[in-house]
Amino acid sequence: MIMSRWWLLAIAGTGAGMVAVLVVVGTPVPLLVTGVAIVVAYLTAFLALRPRIHEGNPWALAFLVATVLFSAGLTAISPELAVSQFIAYPLVWVLSATTSRALVGSLLLSVAVGAGFWISFGGRIELLPQILATQTLSFGFSVIMGLWITRIAALGDEKARLLDELTAAQDELAALHRDAGVTSERARMSREVHDTVAQSLTGLVLLGQRARRAFAAGTLDDETLELIETGARDALAETRALVAAAAPVELDNGGIQSALERLAERFERETRIRVSTAITLPRTLPRDAEVVLLRFAQEGLANVRKHSEAGSARVELTVSGAVARMRVSDDGRGFPAEVRAGFGLTGLRDRLALAGGTLEVDGTPSATVITATLPLEASA
């Protein structure tokens, strides 16, 4: 702290001020020269020791002693120069490593300046009570201010430490969320692959074994080869659909409306399921809301691909007041009300809940409609 340029300016200004006071009060030349010498010696000591001073080290102790002698020496020359205490006391607290050392240093300064007072008044005994009262008040004020500022500094350090801990905890929590998200996505993809591609490939293996036996027996026919080709095409289509459902759709180019249109186009191209969109946006949505709604549309279409056996699907997005609603519907087989929601719908409900939204599922036979309701203020 002593390295701050403000301390350099304060000490230099104090020295210049002390010399000016000596000149103004008409100090005799010998005492004036002595006062100037004290100021110059103090400034020289400060410039020499400043680079080496650290709180509580021997150089700090040496400069603390120099500060006490500086203020006491000037007061001995002229009582008006006791005003130098206004910078001497703060320096004592800055240079001390502990509160106890600062209290001892302040007491020494108070006694030394009191001795300077007594010398400047010609050693008059009757003035000792006045000097004692003055220095007691100076010492008490310095202690009160020092303890108050030290407490403020300690609270500042504690708040900085707590802020660092909070920032570290937030970073750790964010990392845990990312890890949990990665783990959840891996589990979902594993289930997707197992339920679709793996089953198709298992069927292809069985058909291959059947074809090998038929070939060995000389009974291999075109029907078996056609089944193998059909199974391979189905596995290829399922793989492409899985990639299409999991691939990211960028929001940077055109916002949620363009992203939904690109998602529908790509999904239709990969799955041969017709997808139409109806989007009504009276204003731009918050970015967080766009992300949640886009993920909802992706998962909704993924469910259409996996379960509906639909020929067409529709994605609708409307905004009314401070609420956005998105519906993903299809003309598939639907599902009975007693059937529990799967992994995808559970994940959708959790994602919406985190953003303050809700999910409704209608599995009416021959159709399925899932609706997301999202308050825009909560997601902003």
Side-chain angles (χ1 to χ4, degrees):
M1 185 175 180
I2 200 70
M3 293 299 295
S4 170
R5 62 189 178 94
W6 296 111
W7 278 113
L8 176 61
L9 293 175
I11 292 175
T14 299
M18 298 301 98
V19 173
V21 170
L22 288 176
V23 173
V24 169
V25 299
T27 306
V29 174
L31 293 179
L32 176 61
V33 172
T34 303
V36 171
I38 292 174
V39 170
V40 171
Y42 184 65
L43 291 176
T44 302
F46 174 70
L47 293 175
L49 298 178
R50 185 185 180 206
R52 307 174 184 178
I53 291 176
H54 298 287
E55 187 179 83
N57 71 354
W59 299 109
L61 179 60
F63 188 65
L64 189 153
V65 172
T67 300
V68 171
L69 295 176
F70 166 74
S71 188
L74 290 179
T75 305
I77 293 174
S78 175
E80 289 84 0
L81 299 188
V83 71
S84 61
Q85 293 176 100
F86 87 91
I87 193 173
Y89 279 117
L91 276 171
V92 167
W93 283 85
V94 169
L95 295 169
S96 300
T98 63
T99 301
S100 58
R101 290 185 182 182
L103 291 174
V104 172
S106 296
L107 180 61
L108 291 176
L109 175 62
S110 179
V111 172
V113 171
F117 265 129
W118 189 64
I119 293 172
S120 65
F121 287 131
R124 296 163 57 185
I125 300 298
E126 65 273 17
L127 294 179
L128 284 178
Q130 181 180 347
I131 294 172
L132 180 62
T134 300
Q135 289 309 107
T136 300
L137 289 175
S138 297
F139 173 73
F141 181 75
S142 73
V143 169
I144 293 172
M145 292 300 296
L147 293 175
W148 178 53
I149 294 174
T150 299
R151 178 59 178 166
I152 291 176
L155 290 175
D157 292 340
E158 179 67 12
K159 287 182 178 179
R161 184 185 65 80
L162 293 175
L163 180 60
D164 290 340
E165 291 181 357
L166 178 60
T167 302
Q170 289 176 333
D171 292 342
E172 183 178 356
L173 182 61
L176 291 175
H177 277 307
R178 287 194 298 270
D179 293 342
V182 170
T183 301
S184 176
E185 184 63 16
R186 286 175 177 172
R188 187 184 73 84
M189 290 298 296
S190 297
R191 184 172 301 181
E192 290 273 4
V193 171
H194 177 269
D195 292 344
T196 56
V197 179
Q199 292 183 7
S200 296
L201 293 178
T202 301
L204 283 174
V205 170
L206 294 176
L207 286 172
Q209 292 173 346
R210 170 182 166 182
R212 174 177 289 182
R213 289 193 298 269
F215 178 77
T219 60
L220 180 62
D221 56 12
D222 186 66
E223 180 183 358
T224 301
L225 295 177
E226 183 181 356
L227 288 174
I228 293 175
E229 181 181 355
T230 302
R233 290 184 183 275
D234 290 343
L236 178 60
E238 289 169 351
T239 302
R240 286 176 172 173
L242 185 61
V243 172
V249 179
E250 295 296 333
L251 281 166
D252 294 334
N253 186 16
I256 184 68
Q257 182 167 352
S258 297
L260 289 174
E261 291 172 352
R262 292 195 299 272
L263 175 64
E265 178 185 356
R266 188 171 68 191
F267 187 84
E268 181 174 338
R269 185 174 65 250
E270 296 292 345
T271 63
R272 305 302 180 186
I273 299 175
R274 297 186 305 277
V275 181
S276 60
T277 59
I279 303 169
T280 304
L281 294 179
R283 58 189 176 90
T284 302
L285 301 184
R287 185 53 175 261
D288 291 345
E290 290 186 335
V291 172
V292 173
L293 292 171
L294 180 58
R295 297 295 175 261
F296 172 81
Q298 287 179 306
E299 186 60 37
L301 290 177
N303 283 328
V304 171
R305 172 185 59 81
K306 290 185 292 185
H307 307 301
S308 70
E309 298 181 0
S312 64
R314 183 174 178 82
V315 179
E316 302 175 59
L317 173 60
T318 59
V319 176
S320 177
V323 177
R325 287 184 176 85
M326 176 176 283
R327 298 172 73 245
V328 177
S329 58
D330 63 71
D331 60 357
R333 61 181 180 177
F335 59 88
E338 62 270 16
V339 176
R340 293 184 61 187
F343 180 83
L345 291 180
T346 301
L348 274 180
R349 185 173 282 108
D350 292 342
R351 179 186 289 272
L352 286 166
L354 288 174
T358 57
L359 173 69
E360 298 177 10
V361 180
D362 181 4
T364 302
S366 301
T368 302
V369 180
I370 59 174
T371 305
T373 302
L374 182 66
L376 299 179
E377 286 80 0
S379 62

